[in-house]
Amino acid sequence: MSFSLAEYLQSRRYLIEQALERYLPSPSDRPQRLHESIRYSVLAPGKRIRPILVIAGAEAVGGTAEQVLPTACALECIHVFSLIHDDLPCMDNDDYRRGRPTNHKIFGEALALLAGDALLALAFQLIAENAASVPPERVLPTLHLVAKASGTWGMVGGQVVDMESQGQTVTPDTLHYIHSHKTGALLTCSVVAGATLAGGSAQQIEALRRYGEHIGLAFQIADDILDIVGDQERIGKPVGSDQKQDKATYPRLFGIEESRQRARHEMKAALQQLQEFDEKADPLRALAQFIVERDI
Amino acid sequence: MSFSLAEYLQSRRYLIEQALERYLPSPSDRPQRLHESIRYSVLAPGKRIRPILVIAGAEAVGGTAEQVLPTACALECIHVFSLIHDDLPCMDNDDYRRGRPTNHKIFGEALALLAGDALLALAFQLIAENAASVPPERVLPTLHLVAKASGTWGMVGGQVVDMESQGQTVTPDTLHYIHSHKTGALLTCSVVAGATLAGGSAQQIEALRRYGEHIGLAFQIADDILDIVGDQERIGKPVGSDQKQDKATYPRLFGIEESRQRARHEMKAALQQLQEFDEKADPLRALAQFIVERDI
């Protein structure tokens, strides 16, 4: 029986969105407006790639989705926190995200800022709550990893260097720093978090870390290409917005054709890391291809 | 031999500031400007009340400062994260803090926003690292508590209701919500975190939680009074800034004299919670008095 990625994504997304609905603060609890703001952004339609990677990472080493759901949702909270803050006027000043008005356009800047802050705190609360189904000896290293990948050693650090590089000529080295930190760190730590919580061996976790690094890079190159060749409806933001802001991207540095080849090269390198895994890693295999081939 | 609070504060502050210097990202690591921004705000002169409460909470149940230093520093990081974000133009729009220009006045809004984000992530990373000196079974509940006290169930929630109440007539109930969440939650969880990490009994931890709630309230009332009767040099921000912004405060609702009495009443209630503790809780006793009597 062949593996259907579409069915897999649908079933896992359903689990994740049901869980998010439960874990997010209720719009009837005080402060209601903050909770509406949080839910507006988190429950917006999304690919849920990070929580799916947490689940697929756990499954690849023999664990289950249910076992890692709080942490899977935490990764989505961290991702959405970063989107809300990135969209603020003092950052990218974006009016649209996923085809809808950005959080601050609806709720105002102050509430958007605080919704992001609350989501980051909630993420760590959820990971700590994962100790209900997983031994604390596995939860703590997971939490450490996620905290490190979110802050200056990961996502925030990449965001800062990306900002600093606007309008500048960047070296390939700096471009790699930006991509591996800004998006790569959180994608990598999603797979590793799932495998760690589910009790994967050190060898398995190391292979999945390398898998994560490769798909993280492939994902970002694909994103850069999409920004040029995609259409607004498909990606939900104005096409060419990276170019307008003079951002460091792969196509700028290497051209579109070379960028496409690099994305595929990273995808293949990711698949190689899974050689020692059995069919339980099929979702990870399919995800690697999906990430690169979705639109380029 | 009588207990000297001045000496106690000096020695613990020294420990905390040495540790912060070690734990904070280096200004020579990339992204340098972000790390300068983080260090500018965290290493600014401060009372370090939250990390001192973590240490004093640990000592009260027989633990040591060294045992809880990462978590003590984490609480200071969370406090400073909230100050940086509160000062932003879309929030309180403050130009001065602790007598110096606010973070965004020096580093710009985007970097200030990201420095706050990075500090919140770093805080949870540090608490997870406390597992090097304390069993994970104690670290995880501590981390959960701190995450909850930082987000919508604590500090951020209080901040939102405070914002929503500006220019409105607030009920005593709402004022209590604001104070117990905006400042109270983090102060309370500091003492409880210290005692939890140091292995305090459930009974001890419950008494310290109530102690924390009382000093949290006393602290906020004292702060409100200071804003009216203090002088700019002493508190480092323009006197009357709360009044200007039409913020909900105790003196507004009850007048200064009644507010002073309430602060002292809370201080006494805090001391009563320590009746079953021996002289190892003397720092907590002295801190309760210090908090209320520093300037009112």
Side-chain angles (χ1 to χ4, degrees), chain A residues 232-261:
Chain A
Q232 176 158 357
E233 201 185 345
R234 216 156 49 192
I235 62 174
K237 65 174 179 177
V239 176
S241 66
D242 289 349
Q243 274 189 307
K244 250 190 319 214
Q245 290 186 29
D246 228 5
K247 286 209 173 180
T249 70
Y250 271 82
R252 256 176 90 89
L253 211 55
F254 302 110
I256 289 199
E257 213 28 67
E258 161 89 11
S259 298
R260 279 194 174 118
Q261 278 173 30

PDB file of all heavy atoms in Angstrom, chain A residues 232-261:
ATOM      1  N   GLN A 232      -0.047  36.066  -6.046  1.00  0.00           N
ATOM      2  CA  GLN A 232      -0.468  36.578  -4.747  1.00  0.00           C
ATOM      3  C   GLN A 232      -1.497  35.680  -4.063  1.00  0.00           C
ATOM      4  O   GLN A 232      -1.443  35.437  -2.867  1.00  0.00           O
ATOM      5  CB  GLN A 232      -1.056  37.985  -4.904  1.00  0.00           C
ATOM      6  CG  GLN A 232      -1.595  38.513  -3.573  1.00  0.00           C
ATOM      7  CD  GLN A 232      -1.669  40.010  -3.563  1.00  0.00           C
ATOM      8  OE1 GLN A 232      -1.279  40.680  -4.500  1.00  0.00           O
ATOM      9  NE2 GLN A 232      -2.138  40.547  -2.456  1.00  0.00           N
ATOM     10  N   GLU A 233      -2.413  35.129  -4.846  1.00  0.00           N
ATOM     11  CA  GLU A 233      -3.458  34.298  -4.252  1.00  0.00           C
ATOM     12  C   GLU A 233      -2.859  33.086  -3.545  1.00  0.00           C
ATOM     13  O   GLU A 233      -3.264  32.711  -2.459  1.00  0.00           O
ATOM     14  CB  GLU A 233      -4.399  33.831  -5.361  1.00  0.00           C
ATOM     15  CG  GLU A 233      -5.761  33.399  -4.827  1.00  0.00           C
ATOM     16  CD  GLU A 233      -6.606  32.844  -5.949  1.00  0.00           C
ATOM     17  OE1 GLU A 233      -6.246  33.061  -7.125  1.00  0.00           O
ATOM     18  OE2 GLU A 233      -7.601  32.198  -5.657  1.00  0.00           O
ATOM     19  N   ARG A 234      -1.833  32.501  -4.202  1.00  0.00           N
ATOM     20  CA  ARG A 234      -1.286  31.270  -3.660  1.00  0.00           C
ATOM     21  C   ARG A 234      -0.483  31.502  -2.382  1.00  0.00           C
ATOM     22  O   ARG A 234      -0.517  30.710  -1.458  1.00  0.00           O
ATOM     23  CB  ARG A 234      -0.413  30.595  -4.726  1.00  0.00           C
ATOM     24  CG  ARG A 234      -0.501  29.091  -4.692  1.00  0.00           C
ATOM     25  CD  ARG A 234      -0.140  28.483  -6.017  1.00  0.00           C
ATOM     26  NE  ARG A 234       1.107  29.008  -6.560  1.00  0.00           N
ATOM     27  CZ  ARG A 234       1.515  28.811  -7.801  1.00  0.00           C
ATOM     28  NH1 ARG A 234       0.795  28.111  -8.631  1.00  0.00           N
ATOM     29  NH2 ARG A 234       2.639  29.324  -8.219  1.00  0.00           N
ATOM     30  N   ILE A 235       0.262  32.585  -2.310  1.00  0.00           N
ATOM     31  CA  ILE A 235       1.081  32.766  -1.102  1.00  0.00           C
ATOM     32  C   ILE A 235       0.499  33.790  -0.138  1.00  0.00           C
ATOM     33  O   ILE A 235       0.983  33.945   0.965  1.00  0.00           O
ATOM     34  CB  ILE A 235       2.556  33.102  -1.434  1.00  0.00           C
ATOM     35  CG1 ILE A 235       2.663  34.420  -2.193  1.00  0.00           C
ATOM     36  CG2 ILE A 235       3.211  31.979  -2.213  1.00  0.00           C
ATOM     37  CD1 ILE A 235       4.099  34.860  -2.404  1.00  0.00           C
ATOM     38  N   GLY A 236      -0.553  34.482  -0.537  1.00  0.00           N
ATOM     39  CA  GLY A 236      -1.264  35.348   0.402  1.00  0.00           C
ATOM     40  C   GLY A 236      -0.554  36.641   0.741  1.00  0.00           C
ATOM     41  O   GLY A 236      -0.904  37.318   1.682  1.00  0.00           O
ATOM     42  N   LYS A 237       0.490  36.977   0.054  1.00  0.00           N
ATOM     43  CA  LYS A 237       1.111  38.292   0.238  1.00  0.00           C
ATOM     44  C   LYS A 237       1.550  38.812  -1.123  1.00  0.00           C
ATOM     45  O   LYS A 237       1.711  38.032  -2.064  1.00  0.00           O
ATOM     46  CB  LYS A 237       2.284  38.231   1.226  1.00  0.00           C
ATOM     47  CG  LYS A 237       3.464  37.392   0.774  1.00  0.00           C
ATOM     48  CD  LYS A 237       4.638  37.521   1.761  1.00  0.00           C
ATOM     49  CE  LYS A 237       5.805  36.659   1.327  1.00  0.00           C
ATOM     50  NZ  LYS A 237       6.975  36.783   2.181  1.00  0.00           N
ATOM     51  N   PRO A 238       1.695  40.112  -1.244  1.00  0.00           N
ATOM     52  CA  PRO A 238       2.034  40.659  -2.554  1.00  0.00           C
ATOM     53  C   PRO A 238       3.302  40.028  -3.104  1.00  0.00           C
ATOM     54  O   PRO A 238       4.307  39.907  -2.397  1.00  0.00           O
ATOM     55  CB  PRO A 238       2.259  42.147  -2.282  1.00  0.00           C
ATOM     56  CG  PRO A 238       1.527  42.426  -1.000  1.00  0.00           C
ATOM     57  CD  PRO A 238       1.617  41.146  -0.206  1.00  0.00           C
ATOM     58  N   VAL A 239       3.251  39.592  -4.363  1.00  0.00           N
ATOM     59  CA  VAL A 239       4.421  39.009  -5.009  1.00  0.00           C
ATOM     60  C   VAL A 239       5.507  40.075  -5.125  1.00  0.00           C
ATOM     61  O   VAL A 239       5.223  41.239  -5.376  1.00  0.00           O
ATOM     62  CB  VAL A 239       4.060  38.499  -6.422  1.00  0.00           C
ATOM     63  CG1 VAL A 239       5.305  37.976  -7.130  1.00  0.00           C
ATOM     64  CG2 VAL A 239       3.033  37.388  -6.323  1.00  0.00           C
ATOM     65  N   GLY A 240       6.740  39.632  -4.903  1.00  0.00           N
ATOM     66  CA  GLY A 240       7.849  40.565  -5.069  1.00  0.00           C
ATOM     67  C   GLY A 240       8.088  41.427  -3.846  1.00  0.00           C
ATOM     68  O   GLY A 240       8.871  42.364  -3.903  1.00  0.00           O
ATOM     69  N   SER A 241       7.432  41.107  -2.699  1.00  0.00           N
ATOM     70  CA  SER A 241       7.615  41.976  -1.538  1.00  0.00           C
ATOM     71  C   SER A 241       9.044  41.884  -0.994  1.00  0.00           C
ATOM     72  O   SER A 241       9.557  42.844  -0.439  1.00  0.00           O
ATOM     73  CB  SER A 241       6.590  41.672  -0.453  1.00  0.00           C
ATOM     74  OG  SER A 241       6.794  40.381   0.073  1.00  0.00           O
ATOM     75  N   ASP A 242       9.686  40.725  -1.148  1.00  0.00           N
ATOM     76  CA  ASP A 242      11.076  40.619  -0.718  1.00  0.00           C
ATOM     77  C   ASP A 242      11.977  41.516  -1.571  1.00  0.00           C
ATOM     78  O   ASP A 242      12.868  42.185  -1.074  1.00  0.00           O
ATOM     79  CB  ASP A 242      11.583  39.174  -0.815  1.00  0.00           C
ATOM     80  CG  ASP A 242      10.948  38.279   0.240  1.00  0.00           C
ATOM     81  OD1 ASP A 242      10.292  38.820   1.147  1.00  0.00           O
ATOM     82  OD2 ASP A 242      11.107  37.062   0.120  1.00  0.00           O
ATOM     83  N   GLN A 243      11.686  41.503  -2.899  1.00  0.00           N
ATOM     84  CA  GLN A 243      12.505  42.317  -3.798  1.00  0.00           C
ATOM     85  C   GLN A 243      12.341  43.799  -3.479  1.00  0.00           C
ATOM     86  O   GLN A 243      13.289  44.550  -3.427  1.00  0.00           O
ATOM     87  CB  GLN A 243      12.088  42.072  -5.250  1.00  0.00           C
ATOM     88  CG  GLN A 243      12.798  40.879  -5.864  1.00  0.00           C
ATOM     89  CD  GLN A 243      12.526  40.791  -7.348  1.00  0.00           C
ATOM     90  OE1 GLN A 243      11.372  40.787  -7.764  1.00  0.00           O
ATOM     91  NE2 GLN A 243      13.591  40.731  -8.138  1.00  0.00           N
ATOM     92  N   LYS A 244      11.053  44.179  -3.224  1.00  0.00           N
ATOM     93  CA  LYS A 244      10.778  45.583  -2.924  1.00  0.00           C
ATOM     94  C   LYS A 244      11.586  46.026  -1.713  1.00  0.00           C
ATOM     95  O   LYS A 244      12.101  47.123  -1.661  1.00  0.00           O
ATOM     96  CB  LYS A 244       9.286  45.765  -2.629  1.00  0.00           C
ATOM     97  CG  LYS A 244       8.555  46.528  -3.726  1.00  0.00           C
ATOM     98  CD  LYS A 244       7.156  46.900  -3.310  1.00  0.00           C
ATOM     99  CE  LYS A 244       6.452  45.802  -2.549  1.00  0.00           C
ATOM    100  NZ  LYS A 244       5.036  45.698  -2.776  1.00  0.00           N
ATOM    101  N   GLN A 245      11.647  45.124  -0.715  1.00  0.00           N
ATOM    102  CA  GLN A 245      12.384  45.486   0.494  1.00  0.00           C
ATOM    103  C   GLN A 245      13.874  45.215   0.359  1.00  0.00           C
ATOM    104  O   GLN A 245      14.612  45.328   1.333  1.00  0.00           O
ATOM    105  CB  GLN A 245      11.813  44.743   1.695  1.00  0.00           C
ATOM    106  CG  GLN A 245      10.439  45.244   2.070  1.00  0.00           C
ATOM    107  CD  GLN A 245       9.939  44.616   3.341  1.00  0.00           C
ATOM    108  OE1 GLN A 245      10.721  44.251   4.215  1.00  0.00           O
ATOM    109  NE2 GLN A 245       8.649  44.469   3.468  1.00  0.00           N
ATOM    110  N   ASP A 246      14.261  44.773  -0.831  1.00  0.00           N
ATOM    111  CA  ASP A 246      15.681  44.610  -1.064  1.00  0.00           C
ATOM    112  C   ASP A 246      16.282  43.578  -0.134  1.00  0.00           C
ATOM    113  O   ASP A 246      17.367  43.767   0.419  1.00  0.00           O
ATOM    114  CB  ASP A 246      16.359  45.959  -0.841  1.00  0.00           C
ATOM    115  CG  ASP A 246      17.294  46.269  -1.993  1.00  0.00           C
ATOM    116  OD1 ASP A 246      17.308  45.493  -2.952  1.00  0.00           O
ATOM    117  OD2 ASP A 246      18.002  47.291  -1.907  1.00  0.00           O
ATOM    118  N   LYS A 247      15.537  42.473   0.050  1.00  0.00           N
ATOM    119  CA  LYS A 247      15.989  41.453   0.977  1.00  0.00           C
ATOM    120  C   LYS A 247      16.980  40.496   0.340  1.00  0.00           C
ATOM    121  O   LYS A 247      16.960  40.269  -0.865  1.00  0.00           O
ATOM    122  CB  LYS A 247      14.793  40.648   1.483  1.00  0.00           C
ATOM    123  CG  LYS A 247      13.964  41.410   2.475  1.00  0.00           C
ATOM    124  CD  LYS A 247      13.281  40.482   3.444  1.00  0.00           C
ATOM    125  CE  LYS A 247      12.614  41.312   4.519  1.00  0.00           C
ATOM    126  NZ  LYS A 247      11.928  40.505   5.505  1.00  0.00           N
ATOM    127  N   ALA A 248      17.812  39.915   1.194  1.00  0.00           N
ATOM    128  CA  ALA A 248      18.767  38.917   0.756  1.00  0.00           C
ATOM    129  C   ALA A 248      18.019  37.633   0.420  1.00  0.00           C
ATOM    130  O   ALA A 248      17.336  37.086   1.267  1.00  0.00           O
ATOM    131  CB  ALA A 248      19.775  38.648   1.865  1.00  0.00           C
ATOM    132  N   THR A 249      18.120  37.169  -0.827  1.00  0.00           N
ATOM    133  CA  THR A 249      17.465  35.911  -1.218  1.00  0.00           C
ATOM    134  C   THR A 249      18.393  35.112  -2.116  1.00  0.00           C
ATOM    135  O   THR A 249      19.339  35.655  -2.695  1.00  0.00           O
ATOM    136  CB  THR A 249      16.159  36.144  -2.010  1.00  0.00           C
ATOM    137  OG1 THR A 249      16.495  36.669  -3.306  1.00  0.00           O
ATOM    138  CG2 THR A 249      15.234  37.124  -1.300  1.00  0.00           C
ATOM    139  N   TYR A 250      18.085  33.805  -2.255  1.00  0.00           N
ATOM    140  CA  TYR A 250      18.863  32.957  -3.149  1.00  0.00           C
ATOM    141  C   TYR A 250      18.771  33.396  -4.606  1.00  0.00           C
ATOM    142  O   TYR A 250      19.804  33.513  -5.282  1.00  0.00           O
ATOM    143  CB  TYR A 250      18.458  31.484  -2.977  1.00  0.00           C
ATOM    144  CG  TYR A 250      19.292  30.834  -1.914  1.00  0.00           C
ATOM    145  CD1 TYR A 250      18.959  30.991  -0.572  1.00  0.00           C
ATOM    146  CD2 TYR A 250      20.448  30.126  -2.224  1.00  0.00           C
ATOM    147  CE1 TYR A 250      19.742  30.437   0.427  1.00  0.00           C
ATOM    148  CE2 TYR A 250      21.233  29.571  -1.232  1.00  0.00           C
ATOM    149  CZ  TYR A 250      20.891  29.729   0.077  1.00  0.00           C
ATOM    150  OH  TYR A 250      21.682  29.204   1.054  1.00  0.00           O
ATOM    151  N   PRO A 251      17.551  33.642  -5.121  1.00  0.00           N
ATOM    152  CA  PRO A 251      17.478  34.022  -6.545  1.00  0.00           C
ATOM    153  C   PRO A 251      18.262  35.302  -6.837  1.00  0.00           C
ATOM    154  O   PRO A 251      18.839  35.444  -7.919  1.00  0.00           O
ATOM    155  CB  PRO A 251      15.973  34.236  -6.776  1.00  0.00           C
ATOM    156  CG  PRO A 251      15.304  33.400  -5.734  1.00  0.00           C
ATOM    157  CD  PRO A 251      16.212  33.469  -4.547  1.00  0.00           C
ATOM    158  N   ARG A 252      18.284  36.240  -5.904  1.00  0.00           N
ATOM    159  CA  ARG A 252      19.074  37.463  -6.087  1.00  0.00           C
ATOM    160  C   ARG A 252      20.546  37.149  -6.248  1.00  0.00           C
ATOM    161  O   ARG A 252      21.254  37.763  -7.034  1.00  0.00           O
ATOM    162  CB  ARG A 252      18.939  38.345  -4.844  1.00  0.00           C
ATOM    163  CG  ARG A 252      18.025  39.534  -4.987  1.00  0.00           C
ATOM    164  CD  ARG A 252      17.927  40.230  -3.657  1.00  0.00           C
ATOM    165  NE  ARG A 252      18.958  41.251  -3.512  1.00  0.00           N
ATOM    166  CZ  ARG A 252      18.798  42.508  -3.904  1.00  0.00           C
ATOM    167  NH1 ARG A 252      17.666  42.889  -4.459  1.00  0.00           N
ATOM    168  NH2 ARG A 252      19.759  43.392  -3.740  1.00  0.00           N
ATOM    169  N   LEU A 253      20.984  36.184  -5.444  1.00  0.00           N
ATOM    170  CA  LEU A 253      22.418  35.892  -5.396  1.00  0.00           C
ATOM    171  C   LEU A 253      22.818  34.926  -6.506  1.00  0.00           C
ATOM    172  O   LEU A 253      23.901  35.050  -7.090  1.00  0.00           O
ATOM    173  CB  LEU A 253      22.738  35.281  -4.018  1.00  0.00           C
ATOM    174  CG  LEU A 253      24.121  35.536  -3.433  1.00  0.00           C
ATOM    175  CD1 LEU A 253      24.419  37.025  -3.358  1.00  0.00           C
ATOM    176  CD2 LEU A 253      24.220  34.933  -2.033  1.00  0.00           C
ATOM    177  N   PHE A 254      21.941  33.942  -6.802  1.00  0.00           N
ATOM    178  CA  PHE A 254      22.347  32.883  -7.723  1.00  0.00           C
ATOM    179  C   PHE A 254      21.484  32.777  -8.982  1.00  0.00           C
ATOM    180  O   PHE A 254      21.779  31.966  -9.856  1.00  0.00           O
ATOM    181  CB  PHE A 254      22.311  31.522  -7.015  1.00  0.00           C
ATOM    182  CG  PHE A 254      23.195  31.461  -5.805  1.00  0.00           C
ATOM    183  CD1 PHE A 254      22.645  31.407  -4.537  1.00  0.00           C
ATOM    184  CD2 PHE A 254      24.573  31.462  -5.929  1.00  0.00           C
ATOM    185  CE1 PHE A 254      23.458  31.339  -3.410  1.00  0.00           C
ATOM    186  CE2 PHE A 254      25.397  31.406  -4.813  1.00  0.00           C
ATOM    187  CZ  PHE A 254      24.835  31.344  -3.542  1.00  0.00           C
ATOM    188  N   GLY A 255      20.379  33.523  -9.052  1.00  0.00           N
ATOM    189  CA  GLY A 255      19.454  33.356 -10.174  1.00  0.00           C
ATOM    190  C   GLY A 255      18.461  32.244  -9.883  1.00  0.00           C
ATOM    191  O   GLY A 255      18.710  31.401  -9.014  1.00  0.00           O
ATOM    192  N   ILE A 256      17.362  32.227 -10.625  1.00  0.00           N
ATOM    193  CA  ILE A 256      16.287  31.273 -10.330  1.00  0.00           C
ATOM    194  C   ILE A 256      16.677  29.841 -10.659  1.00  0.00           C
ATOM    195  O   ILE A 256      16.432  28.921  -9.880  1.00  0.00           O
ATOM    196  CB  ILE A 256      14.992  31.661 -11.098  1.00  0.00           C
ATOM    197  CG1 ILE A 256      14.421  32.935 -10.454  1.00  0.00           C
ATOM    198  CG2 ILE A 256      13.968  30.521 -11.054  1.00  0.00           C
ATOM    199  CD1 ILE A 256      12.988  33.200 -10.760  1.00  0.00           C
ATOM    200  N   GLU A 257      17.318  29.612 -11.799  1.00  0.00           N
ATOM    201  CA  GLU A 257      17.606  28.231 -12.194  1.00  0.00           C
ATOM    202  C   GLU A 257      18.563  27.555 -11.212  1.00  0.00           C
ATOM    203  O   GLU A 257      18.310  26.448 -10.742  1.00  0.00           O
ATOM    204  CB  GLU A 257      18.153  28.194 -13.646  1.00  0.00           C
ATOM    205  CG  GLU A 257      17.763  26.963 -14.408  1.00  0.00           C
ATOM    206  CD  GLU A 257      16.442  26.340 -13.941  1.00  0.00           C
ATOM    207  OE1 GLU A 257      15.351  26.925 -14.094  1.00  0.00           O
ATOM    208  OE2 GLU A 257      16.533  25.223 -13.382  1.00  0.00           O
ATOM    209  N   GLU A 258      19.638  28.258 -10.888  1.00  0.00           N
ATOM    210  CA  GLU A 258      20.615  27.730  -9.924  1.00  0.00           C
ATOM    211  C   GLU A 258      19.939  27.520  -8.554  1.00  0.00           C
ATOM    212  O   GLU A 258      20.221  26.538  -7.862  1.00  0.00           O
ATOM    213  CB  GLU A 258      21.782  28.722  -9.809  1.00  0.00           C
ATOM    214  CG  GLU A 258      22.655  28.595  -8.590  1.00  0.00           C
ATOM    215  CD  GLU A 258      23.809  27.627  -8.783  1.00  0.00           C
ATOM    216  OE1 GLU A 258      24.052  27.222  -9.925  1.00  0.00           O
ATOM    217  OE2 GLU A 258      24.461  27.270  -7.761  1.00  0.00           O
ATOM    218  N   SER A 259      19.034  28.413  -8.177  1.00  0.00           N
ATOM    219  CA  SER A 259      18.348  28.273  -6.892  1.00  0.00           C
ATOM    220  C   SER A 259      17.485  27.015  -6.873  1.00  0.00           C
ATOM    221  O   SER A 259      17.451  26.277  -5.882  1.00  0.00           O
ATOM    222  CB  SER A 259      17.485  29.504  -6.605  1.00  0.00           C
ATOM    223  OG  SER A 259      18.302  30.651  -6.519  1.00  0.00           O
ATOM    224  N   ARG A 260      16.778  26.769  -7.992  1.00  0.00           N
ATOM    225  CA  ARG A 260      15.963  25.551  -8.083  1.00  0.00           C
ATOM    226  C   ARG A 260      16.808  24.301  -7.914  1.00  0.00           C
ATOM    227  O   ARG A 260      16.449  23.369  -7.218  1.00  0.00           O
ATOM    228  CB  ARG A 260      15.276  25.484  -9.457  1.00  0.00           C
ATOM    229  CG  ARG A 260      14.029  26.323  -9.528  1.00  0.00           C
ATOM    230  CD  ARG A 260      13.208  25.946 -10.776  1.00  0.00           C
ATOM    231  NE  ARG A 260      11.938  26.660 -10.742  1.00  0.00           N
ATOM    232  CZ  ARG A 260      11.538  27.543 -11.644  1.00  0.00           C
ATOM    233  NH1 ARG A 260      12.297  27.828 -12.690  1.00  0.00           N
ATOM    234  NH2 ARG A 260      10.373  28.136 -11.532  1.00  0.00           N
ATOM    235  N   GLN A 261      17.971  24.306  -8.568  1.00  0.00           N
ATOM    236  CA  GLN A 261      18.857  23.150  -8.438  1.00  0.00           C
ATOM    237  C   GLN A 261      19.336  22.964  -7.006  1.00  0.00           C
ATOM    238  O   GLN A 261      19.413  21.847  -6.493  1.00  0.00           O
ATOM    239  CB  GLN A 261      20.065  23.322  -9.370  1.00  0.00           C
ATOM    240  CG  GLN A 261      19.758  22.914 -10.801  1.00  0.00           C
ATOM    241  CD  GLN A 261      20.903  23.246 -11.737  1.00  0.00           C
ATOM    242  OE1 GLN A 261      22.070  23.260 -11.338  1.00  0.00           O
ATOM    243  NE2 GLN A 261      20.583  23.516 -12.998  1.00  0.00           N
TER     244      GLN A 261
END
